[in-house]
Amino acid sequence: MTETGFNQLHLDARIAELLPLRRTPAGVPVATCGLTHESKQMEAGMLRDVSVELRAVAVGELAGMLASASPGMRIRVAGFLAAKSLRSRAPVLHLSKIEFLEGNENGVQQEVCKEKG
């Protein structure tokens, strides 16, 4: 087994797809979604247009929170990356924090935040 190391991702994204809430055989809720991100990032002193699509999963209390969202909603998330399975090494973002970024009332961005643990 590999020792503990740093594996943390923070991302502002839009929910592109939201699968129905499911439960593990032990009854733990699991929500899976597709996230999209587009922005401009500085690289080698120049602005670069970047975009990415990424699968994300929320387990436990966060799963219910994610399942109540809708495609198209903007969110800010944090979590760690892990392989989808032993057969598929594609990365999946396992969420530990979700902030729903909603509206823009009076120039102030509204945030609803829930952090696991």
Side-chain angles (χ1 to χ4, degrees):
M1 184 81 169
T2 307
E3 64 184 67
T4 302
F6 189 74
N7 178 352
Q8 187 72 36
L9 178 69
H10 297 262
L11 186 69
D12 286 353
R14 192 168 296 277
I15 298 173
E17 176 187 24
L18 189 59
L19 300 178
L21 185 68
R22 65 181 177 84
R23 294 192 178 272
T24 67
V28 178
V30 177
T32 302
C33 70
L35 299 176
T36 59
H37 168 86
E38 293 182 0
S39 66
K40 294 186 182 296
Q41 299 295 317
M42 188 65 72
E43 182 177 45
M46 299 174 59
L47 276 180
R48 175 182 173 185
D49 290 330
V50 297
S51 64
V52 66
E53 294 179 9
L54 185 63
R55 273 283 182 227
V57 63
V59 179
E61 188 178 332
L62 280 180
M65 187 175 164
L66 181 59
S68 69
S70 302
M73 289 182 79
R74 291 181 24 237
I75 60 175
R76 178 170 292 149
V77 297
F80 63 91
L81 293 172
K84 181 177 179 181
S85 67
L86 290 175
R87 290 185 176 179
S88 173
R89 304 313 287 164
V92 175
L93 176 58
H94 289 254
L95 301 175
S96 59
K97 183 178 180 183
I98 301 171
E99 294 180 41
F100 291 94
L101 306 176
E102 300 176 10
N104 193 357
E105 296 178 6
N106 302 320
V108 177
Q109 188 172 5
Q110 302 298 308
E111 296 183 2
V112 178
C113 175
K114 181 68 177 178
E115 190 165 351
K116 184 167 75 172

